[in-house]
Amino acid sequence: MKIKLLGKNLEELKAVVAEAGLPGFTAKQMAQWLYQKRVRTIDEMTNLSKAAREKLNEKYEVGVVEYSGKIESTDGTKKYLFPVRCAHRKGLNAGCDGSVPEDQLELGAVEAVMIPDDGRATLCVSSQSGCKMGCKFCMTGRQGFHGHLSAADIISQFLAVDECEQLTNTVFMGMGEPLDNYENVMRAIEILTADWGFAWSPKRITLSSIGVLPTLRNYLDDCRCHLAISLHDPFPDERLSIMPAQKAFPLAQVIDLIKQYDFSGQRRVSFEYTMFAGFNDSKRHADALFRMLKGIECRMNLIRFHKIPDYPYDTCPGLIMEQFKQRLNNLGVTTTIRASRGEDILAACGMLAGEHQEKDRQK
């Protein structure tokens, strides 16, 4: 099995060229071919000598994984399905990069969603196959955990979608909990933002998390990208009933940590709040959110719940959501209702389920 070049940073590419006996400057050339010119094969790296390409081809490959399925919504949203082989057990390097025996990797699938909007093209990218967090209103969480994606798996989603050249932003809001796969997600963000990589501004990237501690602190210390916290209920017992991770990562501790950082500049923090009829949509909830978030420069995004099988709660009526939004705005919490995109192709928030969903739809 050949080793993937995709997902390697500049220092790692320098190690590759040193091992191959190539000039040091070859590493930056390779990075440009991988992340800026976005080639699929080493042979396309035409400013490398033929001998150098032959040497690299003996052990390495680019490693882009093409999508195996695509479906488009009536609103222009597109959902892509990608096959992956990822490490399930803790301690194994995630992804099929040649460093882990193939029989220790689990075959699965992940989805990425491209959302067009007023000249922007945002890729909602996955970081895991399945998810450990088990949120009961999320199709990804209900399928369980199947493995971490490598940085190569994550970056491959950007390179393989049809809109690769038009992408303007990304949100780590696809399948999985990004801060549970911290090393690989941060490696992908490094590639996206480095001048030798995609050279994106950190302002183009948002990471969404339920609030995994202590990697949340690491993210806030190490990264200038935006943060979105999946809040969904301000009361601990209620939140625990729909988000089991509340037990391990109490929301109060997450909020206390966030209050230690400054979000008055370019980096933003927002809170995601999926609304369920008769559960978390009352004046009591709005007032508790205000008290909880007081002192944080933030935005609240209200999300319409997309009904999934065997879940007891229903979609909150539009009028109730508007009243909830207005109360929060009146209290001083900047609040918007997020437009629902791609629901007809099961691409909206909480609806991604990879191969399990695709198989069910084919029955």
Side-chain angles (χ1 to χ4, degrees):
M1 180 183 299
K2 291 186 177 182
I3 298 174
K4 293 183 178 182
L5 293 173
L6 196 69
K8 294 187 180 298
N9 62 27
L10 188 58
E11 292 304 311
E12 290 168 326
L13 291 174
K14 287 178 179 178
V16 168
V17 302
E19 181 187 19
L22 302 175
F25 62 80
T26 307
K28 192 165 187 179
Q29 291 176 321
M30 291 170 62
Q32 291 171 338
W33 284 112
L34 291 169
Y35 305 125
Q36 296 174 11
K37 299 179 182 178
R38 304 174 185 185
V39 298
R40 294 296 199 268
T41 67
I42 292 171
D43 289 331
E44 294 175 78
M45 301 180 183
T46 52
N47 62 351
L48 276 62
S49 69
K50 183 178 180 181
R53 283 177 274 158
E54 289 175 350
K55 181 72 174 178
L56 290 169
N57 270 314
E58 292 174 3
K59 188 175 180 179
Y60 299 97
E61 63 180 354
V62 169
V64 174
V65 176
E66 306 296 346
Y67 61 82
S68 58
K70 179 181 70 172
I71 186 169
E72 184 169 358
S73 167
T74 55
D75 64 22
T77 299
K78 293 182 183 178
K79 183 174 69 172
Y80 293 88
L81 182 70
F82 294 96
V84 294
R85 299 189 67 88
C86 47
H88 187 110
R89 298 203 302 277
K90 186 176 182 180
L92 292 181
N93 182 36
C96 187
D97 64 357
S99 60
V100 179
E102 189 169 355
D103 61 2
Q104 296 183 29
L105 296 171
E106 182 168 321
L107 180 63
V110 298
E111 292 170 335
V113 178
M114 193 289 299
I115 307 167
D117 184 33
D118 291 335
R120 292 160 55 107
T122 299
L123 189 67
C124 181
V125 67
S126 291
S127 57
Q128 294 178 317
S129 177
C131 184
K132 298 178 186 176
M133 300 302 114
C135 297
K136 296 182 179 180
F137 52 89
C138 175
M139 288 292 289
T140 306
R142 286 160 64 104
Q143 71 169 249
F145 177 68
H146 304 291
H148 296 299
L149 300 192
S150 68
D153 295 322
I154 297 169
I155 293 297
S156 187
Q157 295 171 62
F158 290 88
L159 299 177
V161 297
D162 295 343
E163 298 77 17
C164 170
E165 300 291 340
Q166 289 78 48
L167 294 177
T168 61
N169 298 80
T170 188
V171 288
F172 282 80
M173 294 183 184
M175 298 175 67
E177 165 54 65
L179 295 186
D180 187 45
N181 188 18
Y182 186 75
E183 180 180 344
N184 287 294
V185 167
M186 290 304 294
R187 182 184 295 262
I189 289 176
E190 179 189 9
I191 292 168
L192 290 170
T193 57
D195 57 0
W196 48 261
F198 284 53
W200 280 17
S201 165
K203 295 187 294 182
R204 298 168 65 175
I205 301 169
T206 300
L207 180 145
S208 177
S209 173
I210 58 92
V212 176
L213 303 167
T215 50
L216 175 58
R217 181 181 292 276
N218 295 338
Y219 177 78
L220 291 171
D221 286 339
D222 300 340
C223 189
R224 302 307 302 169
C225 298
H226 302 312
L227 173 68
I229 293 293
S230 296
L231 199 160
H232 307 305
D233 199 297
F235 299 110
D237 290 346
E238 291 181 8
R239 190 171 190 257
L240 180 62
S241 73
I242 60 173
M243 299 177 68
Q246 164 70 16
K247 184 175 182 180
F249 310 114
L251 180 61
Q253 293 182 23
V254 174
I255 299 299
D256 286 344
L257 176 60
I258 289 172
K259 286 182 176 179
Q260 298 174 27
Y261 293 83
D262 180 14
F263 292 96
S264 61
Q266 293 186 335
R267 180 169 63 170
R268 299 192 306 268
V269 63
S270 59
F271 294 90
E272 313 295 313
Y273 196 89
T274 301
M275 297 192 67
F276 310 105
F279 179 76
N280 65 348
D281 59 353
S282 70
K283 173 181 175 294
R284 177 176 69 99
H285 291 87
D287 292 348
L289 287 171
F290 163 69
R291 292 191 298 270
M292 174 179 285
L293 302 179
K294 190 174 182 179
I296 302 177
E297 187 78 22
C298 66
R299 177 181 296 271
M300 177 68 69
N301 292 317
L302 304 182
I303 301 171
R304 186 170 67 84
F305 172 55
H306 304 97
K307 187 69 177 176
I308 59 177
D310 304 320
Y311 188 65
Y313 298 109
D314 294 316
T315 301
C316 184
L319 178 60
I320 300 297
M321 291 187 69
E322 287 289 344
Q323 292 172 344
F324 197 90
K325 179 189 79 170
Q326 191 60 51
R327 182 164 189 82
L328 284 172
N329 278 318
N330 289 342
L331 290 170
V333 180
T334 302
T335 304
T336 60
I337 297 176
R338 178 182 293 169
S340 181
R341 302 293 300 273
E343 184 176 5
D344 58 326
I345 57 170
L346 303 184
C349 293
M351 303 187 80
L352 301 185
E355 64 174 350
H356 306 278
Q357 174 180 293
E358 295 298 322
K359 289 178 180 178
D360 290 344
R361 292 178 63 199
Q362 293 171 10
K363 290 180 181 179

